[in-house]
Amino acid sequence: MLRRLLIPLALLAGATPAAADDIGATARGVVRIVTIAVVDGQVVGFGHGSGVAVAPNRIVTNAHVTELAERYPDNVVVGVVPSEGDKSFQGHVVAYDAKADLAMIEFSGARLPPATLYTGPVSEGDPVVALGYPGNVDLATARSAADYIRPTSPVRSEGVFSGRRTLTGVEVLLHTASIARGNSGGPLLDRCGRVIGINSAITRGEEGDSSFGFAIADTELAAFLRAAKQPFQQVGTPCTSIEERLREDSDADARARSDAASNARETLARETLAREAALAEARTTALTRRENAMALAGLMLVLGAMGIGGAGFLVLREDARRARWALYGGGAVMAGAVVVYLLRPSAEVSLPAVAAAARPVASANAPLGRLTCAFMPQRSRVTVSSTQDVSLDWGRSGCVNGRTQYLPGGDRWERVLVPDGEQTVSVLGFDPATKTYTNTRYLLGSAAMESVRKMRGDAVPKSCTVAPATIERLTQAEAAIRAALPPLPNEKLVYSCRKTG
C-alpha cells in the first residue's frame, strides 16, 4: 500500500531558511537538472529535477532524474542550470546506480562551490532544510520554457528529521520538509548547510494524512561517491550557532592569553631566581679567587722576607755566593708577591657575566620558525571546511611561509585572503603569545566575491615586505574588504600551534 503512495520526485521545497548564511552558501552549489528528449530534431519530451555539486564540475542527483539520458544518450540532452550567473551548461552522466537512485553528471564551462557531506549523527527531531526546484513553484511562476534554463536560486523548506528507514533495500531518511516533484536530486541539509541526504520521494497525503519526504541517506551517498572514485568533502563536527561559538571562543581566547601571561610571569620569576642564584654563585667564586690570590701573595711575601733574612745570615758566615742566591731569590719572591697582589681578581661579577645570565626579551616581530597547528574542535565552528592540521613557517615581522605578509593588529597578526578560485573570504590571524592560529571564513556569492576582488585589486604584495607604502596600500584594501563583509562569518577554525622538530 505504501509503495503505491510513494511518488518519484523527478520531472522533485518553500518556507524560511533555517540558517540563511549557511543554507545560502550551500544553495550556490545547487542546480536545476533539465532533460530534453529530441527525435528527428524535434523536442518530444521535457523533464527537470535538482542536483548538488560534489566537485566544481560534477553534480549528484537522483538516477530517475537522468534515466532517459542513461537509456537514450543520443536522444536526450542533459542541461545543468546553476543558481547564480546567466548561463546554463550541457552535461553528461558519468556514474549511475538505479538501485540506490543516484547518478552523477559532469559538465564544463563553470565551477561551482562543492557541498560538504555531514558524517556525524543526526537525531530524531533535529531541524533539516530541503533545497531544490519544486515543479509546482515553477508552474506558478514560469512564463515560458526559457525560465526553466534561466539561473535562479533554489527554493528552501524546513522540517525535522523523523528517523532512518529502508526503502527497496536502500537506507533513506524520513523527514517533514515540504518537497514536491522537481526536488528530486536536491540536497537535504542540516541547519549548518551540510548534506545529510538526497531527496528522492514523498508519500501522498490522502484523507488528511500528512506528507513525508524520503531522502537517500548519507551512507548510501558516500558509498556511491566512493564507488565512482569521486573525492568529496566531509565533516563530522556537530553544528553550533556562530554567535554562540564566537562568544565562547572569545572567552577561551581571553583565558588563553591570561594563561600565557601567567606562564610568562612564572617563567620570568623562575629565570630571575635562577639568574640571581647564578650571580650569587659567581660573586662567591670571584671573592674566593680574590682571597686565595691575596693569601698566596702574603705567603710569597713571607717566603721572600725569609729568603732576604737568610741572605744576611749567610753573609755573617762569609758564604757570599749562597748569600747572593738567597738575596736574589727572596727579592724575586717578594716582587712576585707584589705582582700577585696587584693582579688579584675583583670581587665583583663582570658585565659580560651579568649579560650572559640575563633573559632575552621576546619580541612580537621575532621569528618562530616552522609550526604545526592542530585543529581545536572545542573552539571551532565548522560547516564545510577541512579540519586537517595546518603548517606555518612564521618568520620575522609577520612574514608567513616566506611569501605572505601579515599585518599587525593589536597583540595579533592578521591577513585577509581573497582567493580567485573559491567563493570564500578568510580572515587569518596568529597570536604569537598563545601560538593560536585562526581562520574566520565568509562564504559569499559570486557577485559579492567579484566586489571584494575589485577591492583587493593589486594591493596584495607578491612577497613579504615592510615597505611603508606597500603596507599602507594593503592596510587600506583590507579595511575596505572587512567593511563589505557580512556582520557574522559562516565558520571559525581555531588551531593550537607548536614548533616542529
Side-chain angles (χ1 to χ4, degrees):
M1 181 68 176
L2 175 62
R3 193 72 51 80
R4 288 191 297 107
L5 297 178
L6 294 176
I7 305 172
L9 299 178
L11 302 195
L12 220 187
T16 57
D21 288 339
D22 298 329
I23 304 303
T26 304
R28 290 188 281 274
V30 175
V31 301
R32 186 199 301 270
I33 305 296
V34 177
T35 56
I36 303 173
V38 179
V39 176
D40 296 330
Q42 300 293 320
V43 174
V44 297
F46 176 86
H48 74 94
S50 304
V52 60
V54 292
N57 66 331
R58 286 193 166 184
I59 305 297
V60 162
T61 185
N62 284 144
H64 69 257
V65 171
T66 62
E67 182 180 4
L68 288 179
E70 176 69 10
R71 280 189 182 166
Y72 311 107
D74 296 331
N75 296 96
V76 178
V77 176
V78 178
V80 175
V81 187
S83 61
E84 295 184 318
D86 56 6
K87 294 181 180 179
S88 57
F89 307 91
Q90 185 172 339
H92 61 280
V93 178
V94 294
Y96 187 87
D97 186 337
K99 182 177 184 299
D101 196 17
L102 291 171
M104 186 160 57
I105 299 170
E106 185 176 89
F107 72 101
S108 60
R111 292 177 61 84
L112 299 180
T116 294
L117 180 63
Y118 176 58
T119 57
V122 183
S123 302
E124 292 189 18
D126 283 354
V128 294
V129 180
L131 286 179
Y133 295 90
N136 50 7
V137 173
D138 291 329
L139 289 174
T141 59
R143 297 181 179 180
S144 68
D147 287 336
Y148 285 90
I149 58 172
R150 183 176 296 114
T152 185
S153 59
V155 176
R156 315 176 186 189
S157 66
E158 295 181 17
V160 297
F161 173 63
S162 301
R164 292 179 181 266
R165 299 288 189 274
T166 299
L167 186 63
T168 63
V170 176
E171 186 177 21
V172 295
L173 308 181
L174 182 65
H175 65 87
T176 64
S178 297
I179 52 178
R181 296 177 178 86
N183 275 105
S184 272
L188 183 69
L189 313 174
D190 71 357
R191 60 191 176 92
C192 277
R194 287 90 64 94
V195 177
I196 60 174
I198 299 296
N199 285 311
S200 178
I202 59 172
T203 60
R204 185 192 301 275
E206 293 183 349
E207 298 180 358
D209 292 340
S210 299
S211 294
F212 288 87
F214 288 92
I216 307 301
D218 53 323
T219 52
E220 302 282 356
L221 175 58
F224 170 76
L225 293 174
R226 293 190 186 100
K229 296 182 172 51
Q230 174 59 53
F232 59 95
Q233 297 176 175
Q234 57 181 322
V235 65
T237 308
C239 182
T240 58
S241 74
I242 187 62
E243 295 89 348
E244 177 184 1
R245 178 55 64 218
L246 291 177
R247 181 175 61 254
E248 292 179 353
D249 187 59
S250 178
D251 295 339
D253 187 57
R255 289 194 298 271
R257 291 194 62 80
S258 176
D259 291 343
S262 177
N263 292 337
R265 287 193 297 268
E266 291 177 1
T267 301
L268 180 59
R270 288 195 300 269
E271 292 180 352
T272 299
L273 291 175
R275 183 173 68 251
E276 291 177 351
L279 291 176
E281 183 179 356
R283 291 191 184 99
T284 300
T285 301
L287 182 60
T288 299
R289 289 176 178 173
R290 178 183 174 86
E291 291 175 347
N292 290 341
M294 293 176 65
L296 177 61
L299 178 61
M300 292 175 67
L301 186 63
V302 171
L303 293 175
M306 291 176 64
I308 292 174
F313 177 75
L314 292 173
V315 168
L316 292 177
R317 297 187 60 179
E318 297 181 351
D319 190 348
R321 186 177 66 82
R322 295 177 65 187
R324 284 195 300 273
W325 281 109
L327 178 64
Y328 295 154
V333 172
M334 292 186 71
V338 173
V339 172
V340 170
Y341 179 80
L342 293 177
L343 297 179
R344 66 193 183 280
S346 172
E348 298 298 325
V349 179
S350 65
L351 289 178
V354 174
R359 176 179 181 266
V361 178
S363 169
N365 293 329
L368 297 177
R370 294 187 178 277
L371 304 172
T372 298
C373 302
F375 178 69
M376 302 175 68
Q378 70 276 16
R379 288 187 56 182
S380 300
R381 201 257 183 171
V382 181
T383 59
V384 298
S385 296
S386 168
T387 57
Q388 293 181 344
D389 291 352
V390 174
S391 297
L392 295 177
D393 188 348
W394 190 262
R396 185 175 302 278
S397 300
C399 180
V400 179
N401 298 331
R403 62 181 182 274
T404 303
Q405 182 64 55
Y406 279 48
L407 300 176
D411 297 323
R412 298 171 173 79
W413 293 85
E414 295 183 339
R415 177 64 185 272
V416 178
L417 180 65
V418 183
D420 287 326
E422 185 181 340
Q423 289 187 206
T424 303
V425 174
S426 295
V427 179
L428 307 176
F430 182 73
D431 186 341
T434 61
K435 292 185 177 61
T436 301
Y437 177 72
T438 59
N439 183 353
T440 305
R441 291 167 56 86
Y442 298 80
L443 309 179
L444 305 181
S446 57
M449 286 301 303
E450 185 65 25
S451 176
V452 295
R453 288 188 183 112
K454 290 180 180 178
M455 295 177 188
R456 177 196 63 186
D458 58 357
V460 179
K462 303 300 182 184
S463 60
C464 293
T465 180
V466 292
T470 303
I471 294 297
E472 179 61 23
R473 286 197 304 272
L474 181 59
T475 301
Q476 291 180 358
E478 293 201 350
I481 292 171
R482 286 173 181 267
L485 293 176
L488 292 173
N490 294 88
E491 299 181 309
K492 184 172 184 181
L493 284 66
V494 183
Y495 303 82
S496 177
C497 304
R498 57 179 176 78
K499 288 192 175 181
T500 301

